[in-house]
Amino acid sequence: MMKEYHWINTKDLNLPSGQKIILFGAGKGSEDFFSFNKNTGLKSHVTAIIDNDKSMWGNTLFNVPIICPADLSKFKWDKIIVTSVSGREPIAAQLNEMGFSNPEDYLLIGKFPSNGQKNFSILCESLPENYCFSNKACLHIGPGGNFDFETILFQRQAHVTAIDKYDFGMDGKPEILQKINFLFPADIEAMPLEENSFDLVASFAVLEHTRCPEKALSEINRVLKPGGIAVQTIVTRDHRSFSSLNGYTPFSYRKYSDSEWDFISGQKFYQNRLMPCQWLDLARKTGLGILRYETLSKETITPEMKNDFHVDFDNFTIDKLEEVDCLLVASK
């Protein structure tokens, strides 16, 4: 049985063996591609990896240089493979502006892993025991083109709505789209939805990408029915620390000022710098009633690491600074 590659669509990789490849995105998708390339005999030669994050330029991933888009002309290549997931649509637009076309010059193969069952388990653990989904109006923010979670809710006779900024390819236009309400492009900070319209609002690893977290939480509160429940998991760690690149920790972005980080992160799929305790404070500020709050892990911060943090983080205790990722369950 072929190994499952969680971050790339292998079915879209119809490439002649031995081609020179440029990857776009120095993250988990590229790591999956290297593994796929090695284990399937594709034997493509990866000459470089493009990334829009300038802090990565000059680094390497599996001994392959990470370069800026402007340096693309310095390398020989047959095809650009976009392994980025969250940034795939903006990258496609970027490549089109550079004069390239899909699929002649580049392919979009990045995808979000199927976490539908995992996220549904998190949801059920966060709700009252024996919560009944039947006839409940449920909103999922940020499906990422994968609708397993929506399918599970629909099978439990819920009325399902999903919104996202992009369609992310929608993994082959799944049949469930005929049975649910999917809205895109839709902004979580200004959702095109009526107030007091949902019994349940859920998101998983989405809120950390909002530019105005207070607006996002206020919108969740607005669309919730009185007595409705919001379940949010928030991945606060620096997302660059997920890859095999050296030099990144869950706290790497804390060395920058807000404006410096906005410039770095704004070149790709934006991630804000809020810590778990700040999300809790914001939820309360927007009027949400906290039912459950839990930090999901802690990472040790040495004095040297703390000294490298920007002054924006000076007023937080080490205990709070070491908190990483959180679960926020609230009601209206």
Side-chain angles (χ1 to χ4, degrees), residues 222-281:
R222 182 183 68 81
V223 301
L224 267 180
K225 293 179 180 179
I229 299 176
V231 178
Q232 320 294 317
T233 61
I234 308 168
V235 182
T236 63
R237 68 185 63 224
D238 189 325
H239 285 20
R240 297 173 299 180
S241 66
F242 284 120
S243 77
S244 298
L245 285 166
N246 293 325
Y248 295 104
T249 74
F251 314 113
S252 291
Y253 50 47
R254 291 183 186 169
K255 69 175 65 175
Y256 304 106
S257 69
D258 198 41
S259 59
E260 288 170 334
W261 177 245
D262 184 74
F263 178 76
I264 293 170
S265 185
Q267 305 303 308
K268 51 194 303 179
F269 199 56
Y270 179 78
Q271 180 189 0
N272 57 57
R273 302 184 306 155
L274 264 65
M275 303 189 308
C277 63
Q278 293 175 295
W279 281 108
L280 177 61
D281 290 342

Side-chain angles (χ1 to χ4, degrees), residues 158-171:
H159 303 294
V160 186
T161 297
I163 68 167
D164 211 310
K165 191 171 184 178
Y166 304 106
D167 67 0
F168 293 104
M170 293 193 289
D171 282 359

Side-chain angles (χ1 to χ4, degrees), residues 80-92:
I80 299 170
I81 305 295
V82 180
T83 58
S84 174
V85 182
S86 53
R88 50 177 280 168
E89 273 67 27
I91 287 172

Side-chain angles (χ1 to χ4, degrees), residues 69-87:
D71 287 339
L72 179 61
S73 61
K74 298 179 182 179
F75 293 82
K76 293 183 178 180
W77 52 274
D78 299 302
K79 189 81 72 173
I80 299 170
I81 305 295
V82 180
T83 58
S84 174
V85 182
S86 53

Side-chain angles (χ1 to χ4, degrees), residues 9 49 245 300:
N9 274 322
I49 303 170
L245 285 166
T300 301

Side-chain angles (χ1 to χ4, degrees), residues 5-23:
Y5 296 91
H6 298 284
W7 294 91
I8 58 173
N9 274 322
T10 55
K11 62 181 176 61
D12 292 337
L13 271 172
N14 298 317
L15 297 173
S17 180
Q19 280 200 330
K20 290 184 174 64
I21 300 298
I22 297 278
L23 301 182

